Amino acid sequence: MSAPESPAVRVRRPFRPTVGSTIAAVIGIAVMLGLGSWQVYRLGWKNDLIAERTAQLEAAPIPLPAADADLPGIMWHPVEITGRFLHDKELHLGARSQRGNVGLHVLTPLVRDDGTTVLVNRGWVPPDKKEPETRSAAQMPGTVTVRGIATPGAGKNVFTPDNDPVKNYWLYVDYEQMSAAVGRDLQPVVVDADETPNPGGFPIGKQTRLDLPNDHLGYAITWYALALALAAVYVLWNVQRARNEDAAP
């Protein structure tokens, strides 16, 4: 007489993911990996832009174009301009620092021989040098030649307060407002004067800041880490769920 057959042993896998959690995890991980890869692409783009700007800043100066239409292509390039300063029309760009010291930048209109007028950022001065008479030696008369960097001018963000033309206190460059203030049509460019010393020591030139933050590598690592964390949570949650099911009576 044969022995009775043993009942089949049911093998339960420790990892039994649900359809819903799998779909959610796949979508979430795909999105995070996509965002991480986008940041890697942006990292390459930003590195190329920084290299391009750095090369431009180190190039030999060229004459600043007279036509407004030609100015966008000259931004962040060293330029040279000749004309006469309108010292009585200088503008004060506030909240500017120099080695941790608060002060302002002196923006002076320069009229060229062809009649065009360009703002020259002559540089930084401390608060006690704000008034022109405190630095009269630097108020150079006659025709001068200035070398510097062509820039779009200090921009405005959502947190920047409004300019105060009445008090001649500016926090960002607004060519329409500034043209009205100086009584001249200003070209849409600010030339940051180079480090050539001014008589009397102020303003201090060479105030161009290459403000190109490059945080894309950190962002990419963050997104990839979040994708890895989500994958780990997905696996651990489903393993624990399966164990709880197996332990249930």
PDB file of all heavy atoms in Angstrom, residues 5-21:
ATOM      1  N   GLU A   5       0.381  11.115  -0.553  1.00  0.00           N
ATOM      2  CA  GLU A   5       1.212  12.207  -1.064  1.00  0.00           C
ATOM      3  C   GLU A   5       1.163  13.388  -0.110  1.00  0.00           C
ATOM      4  O   GLU A   5       0.130  13.705   0.485  1.00  0.00           O
ATOM      5  CB  GLU A   5       0.719  12.642  -2.442  1.00  0.00           C
ATOM      6  CG  GLU A   5       0.887  11.584  -3.505  1.00  0.00           C
ATOM      7  CD  GLU A   5       0.446  12.091  -4.857  1.00  0.00           C
ATOM      8  OE1 GLU A   5       0.024  13.269  -4.924  1.00  0.00           O
ATOM      9  OE2 GLU A   5       0.531  11.326  -5.823  1.00  0.00           O
ATOM     10  N   SER A   6       2.340  14.041   0.037  1.00  0.00           N
ATOM     11  CA  SER A   6       2.413  15.240   0.884  1.00  0.00           C
ATOM     12  C   SER A   6       1.767  16.407   0.150  1.00  0.00           C
ATOM     13  O   SER A   6       1.863  16.533  -1.090  1.00  0.00           O
ATOM     14  CB  SER A   6       3.867  15.584   1.199  1.00  0.00           C
ATOM     15  OG  SER A   6       4.486  14.527   1.857  1.00  0.00           O
ATOM     16  N   PRO A   7       1.108  17.268   0.891  1.00  0.00           N
ATOM     17  CA  PRO A   7       0.491  18.431   0.242  1.00  0.00           C
ATOM     18  C   PRO A   7       1.569  19.336  -0.342  1.00  0.00           C
ATOM     19  O   PRO A   7       2.668  19.441   0.198  1.00  0.00           O
ATOM     20  CB  PRO A   7      -0.263  19.114   1.388  1.00  0.00           C
ATOM     21  CG  PRO A   7       0.417  18.654   2.642  1.00  0.00           C
ATOM     22  CD  PRO A   7       0.886  17.268   2.351  1.00  0.00           C
ATOM     23  N   ALA A   8       1.273  19.975  -1.465  1.00  0.00           N
ATOM     24  CA  ALA A   8       2.236  20.869  -2.123  1.00  0.00           C
ATOM     25  C   ALA A   8       2.560  22.051  -1.221  1.00  0.00           C
ATOM     26  O   ALA A   8       1.679  22.615  -0.566  1.00  0.00           O
ATOM     27  CB  ALA A   8       1.662  21.363  -3.451  1.00  0.00           C
ATOM     28  N   VAL A   9       3.844  22.351  -1.157  1.00  0.00           N
ATOM     29  CA  VAL A   9       4.283  23.492  -0.351  1.00  0.00           C
ATOM     30  C   VAL A   9       4.205  24.753  -1.197  1.00  0.00           C
ATOM     31  O   VAL A   9       4.801  24.812  -2.276  1.00  0.00           O
ATOM     32  CB  VAL A   9       5.719  23.284   0.160  1.00  0.00           C
ATOM     33  CG1 VAL A   9       6.175  24.505   0.952  1.00  0.00           C
ATOM     34  CG2 VAL A   9       5.795  22.030   0.995  1.00  0.00           C
ATOM     35  N   ARG A  10       3.469  25.738  -0.707  1.00  0.00           N
ATOM     36  CA  ARG A  10       3.306  26.989  -1.446  1.00  0.00           C
ATOM     37  C   ARG A  10       4.485  27.918  -1.136  1.00  0.00           C
ATOM     38  O   ARG A  10       4.719  28.263   0.018  1.00  0.00           O
ATOM     39  CB  ARG A  10       1.996  27.676  -1.063  1.00  0.00           C
ATOM     40  CG  ARG A  10       1.734  28.953  -1.858  1.00  0.00           C
ATOM     41  CD  ARG A  10       0.417  29.576  -1.441  1.00  0.00           C
ATOM     42  NE  ARG A  10       0.174  30.799  -2.187  1.00  0.00           N
ATOM     43  CZ  ARG A  10      -0.870  31.600  -1.974  1.00  0.00           C
ATOM     44  NH1 ARG A  10      -1.761  31.276  -1.034  1.00  0.00           N
ATOM     45  NH2 ARG A  10      -1.034  32.697  -2.684  1.00  0.00           N
ATOM     46  N   VAL A  11       5.235  28.249  -2.156  1.00  0.00           N
ATOM     47  CA  VAL A  11       6.387  29.149  -1.982  1.00  0.00           C
ATOM     48  C   VAL A  11       5.918  30.590  -2.176  1.00  0.00           C
ATOM     49  O   VAL A  11       5.355  30.945  -3.212  1.00  0.00           O
ATOM     50  CB  VAL A  11       7.490  28.812  -3.008  1.00  0.00           C
ATOM     51  CG1 VAL A  11       8.671  29.784  -2.839  1.00  0.00           C
ATOM     52  CG2 VAL A  11       7.950  27.380  -2.834  1.00  0.00           C
ATOM     53  N   ARG A  12       6.163  31.383  -1.168  1.00  0.00           N
ATOM     54  CA  ARG A  12       5.758  32.788  -1.221  1.00  0.00           C
ATOM     55  C   ARG A  12       7.015  33.653  -1.354  1.00  0.00           C
ATOM     56  O   ARG A  12       7.915  33.606  -0.523  1.00  0.00           O
ATOM     57  CB  ARG A  12       4.970  33.179   0.020  1.00  0.00           C
ATOM     58  CG  ARG A  12       3.684  32.359   0.179  1.00  0.00           C
ATOM     59  CD  ARG A  12       2.936  32.760   1.446  1.00  0.00           C
ATOM     60  NE  ARG A  12       2.399  34.118   1.369  1.00  0.00           N
ATOM     61  CZ  ARG A  12       1.219  34.420   0.807  1.00  0.00           C
ATOM     62  NH1 ARG A  12       0.475  33.449   0.293  1.00  0.00           N
ATOM     63  NH2 ARG A  12       0.785  35.654   0.783  1.00  0.00           N
ATOM     64  N   ARG A  13       7.057  34.408  -2.417  1.00  0.00           N
ATOM     65  CA  ARG A  13       8.220  35.260  -2.654  1.00  0.00           C
ATOM     66  C   ARG A  13       8.233  36.424  -1.653  1.00  0.00           C
ATOM     67  O   ARG A  13       7.184  37.012  -1.347  1.00  0.00           O
ATOM     68  CB  ARG A  13       8.177  35.798  -4.077  1.00  0.00           C
ATOM     69  CG  ARG A  13       8.416  34.744  -5.151  1.00  0.00           C
ATOM     70  CD  ARG A  13       8.314  35.310  -6.556  1.00  0.00           C
ATOM     71  NE  ARG A  13       6.935  35.688  -6.916  1.00  0.00           N
ATOM     72  CZ  ARG A  13       6.511  36.923  -7.068  1.00  0.00           C
ATOM     73  NH1 ARG A  13       7.339  37.944  -6.878  1.00  0.00           N
ATOM     74  NH2 ARG A  13       5.259  37.176  -7.406  1.00  0.00           N
ATOM     75  N   PRO A  14       9.428  36.812  -1.160  1.00  0.00           N
ATOM     76  CA  PRO A  14       9.488  37.919  -0.194  1.00  0.00           C
ATOM     77  C   PRO A  14       9.211  39.281  -0.826  1.00  0.00           C
ATOM     78  O   PRO A  14       8.925  40.246  -0.120  1.00  0.00           O
ATOM     79  CB  PRO A  14      10.917  37.839   0.332  1.00  0.00           C
ATOM     80  CG  PRO A  14      11.693  37.186  -0.771  1.00  0.00           C
ATOM     81  CD  PRO A  14      10.745  36.198  -1.396  1.00  0.00           C
ATOM     82  N   PHE A  15       9.303  39.358  -2.142  1.00  0.00           N
ATOM     83  CA  PHE A  15       9.062  40.642  -2.828  1.00  0.00           C
ATOM     84  C   PHE A  15       7.935  40.453  -3.824  1.00  0.00           C
ATOM     85  O   PHE A  15       8.091  39.855  -4.881  1.00  0.00           O
ATOM     86  CB  PHE A  15      10.336  41.099  -3.542  1.00  0.00           C
ATOM     87  CG  PHE A  15      10.167  42.381  -4.323  1.00  0.00           C
ATOM     88  CD1 PHE A  15       9.813  43.577  -3.685  1.00  0.00           C
ATOM     89  CD2 PHE A  15      10.361  42.401  -5.702  1.00  0.00           C
ATOM     90  CE1 PHE A  15       9.651  44.753  -4.412  1.00  0.00           C
ATOM     91  CE2 PHE A  15      10.203  43.570  -6.427  1.00  0.00           C
ATOM     92  CZ  PHE A  15       9.851  44.757  -5.782  1.00  0.00           C
ATOM     93  N   ARG A  16       6.761  40.966  -3.446  1.00  0.00           N
ATOM     94  CA  ARG A  16       5.585  40.841  -4.294  1.00  0.00           C
ATOM     95  C   ARG A  16       4.989  42.238  -4.495  1.00  0.00           C
ATOM     96  O   ARG A  16       4.052  42.635  -3.781  1.00  0.00           O
ATOM     97  CB  ARG A  16       4.557  39.899  -3.656  1.00  0.00           C
ATOM     98  CG  ARG A  16       5.076  38.494  -3.385  1.00  0.00           C
ATOM     99  CD  ARG A  16       3.967  37.526  -3.015  1.00  0.00           C
ATOM    100  NE  ARG A  16       3.298  37.909  -1.779  1.00  0.00           N
ATOM    101  CZ  ARG A  16       3.719  37.563  -0.555  1.00  0.00           C
ATOM    102  NH1 ARG A  16       4.839  36.855  -0.425  1.00  0.00           N
ATOM    103  NH2 ARG A  16       3.050  37.917   0.518  1.00  0.00           N
ATOM    104  N   PRO A  17       5.554  43.021  -5.420  1.00  0.00           N
ATOM    105  CA  PRO A  17       5.103  44.410  -5.584  1.00  0.00           C
ATOM    106  C   PRO A  17       3.683  44.488  -6.117  1.00  0.00           C
ATOM    107  O   PRO A  17       3.266  43.662  -6.930  1.00  0.00           O
ATOM    108  CB  PRO A  17       6.105  44.987  -6.586  1.00  0.00           C
ATOM    109  CG  PRO A  17       6.576  43.805  -7.363  1.00  0.00           C
ATOM    110  CD  PRO A  17       6.603  42.664  -6.392  1.00  0.00           C
ATOM    111  N   THR A  18       2.990  45.501  -5.682  1.00  0.00           N
ATOM    112  CA  THR A  18       1.646  45.737  -6.187  1.00  0.00           C
ATOM    113  C   THR A  18       1.725  46.507  -7.491  1.00  0.00           C
ATOM    114  O   THR A  18       2.725  47.195  -7.773  1.00  0.00           O
ATOM    115  CB  THR A  18       0.820  46.545  -5.177  1.00  0.00           C
ATOM    116  OG1 THR A  18       1.437  47.826  -4.993  1.00  0.00           O
ATOM    117  CG2 THR A  18       0.740  45.832  -3.840  1.00  0.00           C
ATOM    118  N   VAL A  19       0.673  46.410  -8.270  1.00  0.00           N
ATOM    119  CA  VAL A  19       0.647  47.098  -9.562  1.00  0.00           C
ATOM    120  C   VAL A  19       0.691  48.609  -9.358  1.00  0.00           C
ATOM    121  O   VAL A  19       1.429  49.336 -10.027  1.00  0.00           O
ATOM    122  CB  VAL A  19      -0.605  46.700 -10.358  1.00  0.00           C
ATOM    123  CG1 VAL A  19      -0.718  47.538 -11.641  1.00  0.00           C
ATOM    124  CG2 VAL A  19      -0.575  45.221 -10.701  1.00  0.00           C
ATOM    125  N   GLY A  20      -0.106  49.081  -8.376  1.00  0.00           N
ATOM    126  CA  GLY A  20      -0.170  50.528  -8.141  1.00  0.00           C
ATOM    127  C   GLY A  20       1.165  51.116  -7.726  1.00  0.00           C
ATOM    128  O   GLY A  20       1.589  52.161  -8.242  1.00  0.00           O
ATOM    129  N   SER A  21       1.850  50.446  -6.773  1.00  0.00           N
ATOM    130  CA  SER A  21       3.135  50.970  -6.307  1.00  0.00           C
ATOM    131  C   SER A  21       4.179  50.909  -7.407  1.00  0.00           C
ATOM    132  O   SER A  21       5.057  51.779  -7.507  1.00  0.00           O
ATOM    133  CB  SER A  21       3.610  50.200  -5.080  1.00  0.00           C
ATOM    134  OG  SER A  21       3.912  48.851  -5.407  1.00  0.00           O
TER     135      SER A  21
END
